[in-house]
Amino acid sequence: QVQLRESGPALVESSQTLSLTCIVSGDTTSDSYWRWSWIRQPPGKGLEWIGYIIYSGHTYYTPSLSSRTSISWDTPERQFTLRLRSVTPEDTAVYYCARVAADQYGVASRRDGYWGQGTQVTVSS
């Protein structure tokens, strides 16, 4: 079992940097097969995959967001962090962190792998 919990601000001003942390507990194997991921769901829309990090530190970001995104591990604290720069109201969404298998990345539903409960982030104009 793996437990994940998102932590961060509920409200961010436009042009600022959104920083969210995913706190991980339970079975946190270092196997590079797992994609420690960030996903978001804007109001009335489907899931949008933001990117992932694997245990070695390798990252992947969705091209449309890559210029503004970074994901990093804090191994001693067993957490990984999303930073999204220059946010706009279009970045308003529920943000999730998740651990999914390599072949589930980009296609998984919330029933696949392990997901946090999500955290609402609103970007003010």
Side-chain angles (χ1 to χ4, degrees):
Q1 287 287 330
V2 178
Q3 295 82 40
L4 302 101
R5 178 170 60 86
E6 303 87 356
S7 178
L11 183 65
V12 183
E13 294 184 357
S14 287
S15 81
Q16 299 301 304
T17 295
L18 169 64
S19 182
L20 294 173
T21 296
C22 184
I23 302 166
V24 182
S25 59
D27 180 13
T28 56
T29 176
S30 61
D31 194 323
S32 61
Y33 178 72
W34 302 114
R35 303 301 188 249
W36 301 88
S37 304
W38 284 98
I39 308 100
R40 68 184 183 182
Q41 186 166 24
K45 298 183 179 180
L47 296 175
E48 179 181 21
W49 293 76
I50 300 170
Y52 67 76
I53 188 167
I54 63 175
Y55 205 78
S56 66
H58 172 77
T59 54
Y60 170 82
Y61 307 125
T62 293
S64 62
L65 296 171
S66 61
S67 65
R68 301 194 289 131
T69 305
S70 63
I71 300 174
S72 60
W73 267 114
D74 184 345
T75 302
E77 297 296 327
R78 301 181 76 183
Q79 59 190 32
F80 60 105
T81 298
L82 167 71
R83 291 182 176 84
L84 184 65
R85 297 178 291 276
S86 302
V87 297
T88 72
E90 286 66 41
D91 293 309
T92 293
V94 177
Y95 284 75
Y96 299 94
C97 61
R99 192 195 82 170
V100 298
D103 59 357
Q104 291 177 323
Y105 180 80
V107 297
S109 73
R110 292 186 60 201
R111 294 186 298 273
D112 303 313
Y114 296 95
W115 292 61
Q117 64 181 13
T119 186
Q120 173 70 49
V121 176
T122 300
V123 180
S124 62
S125 57

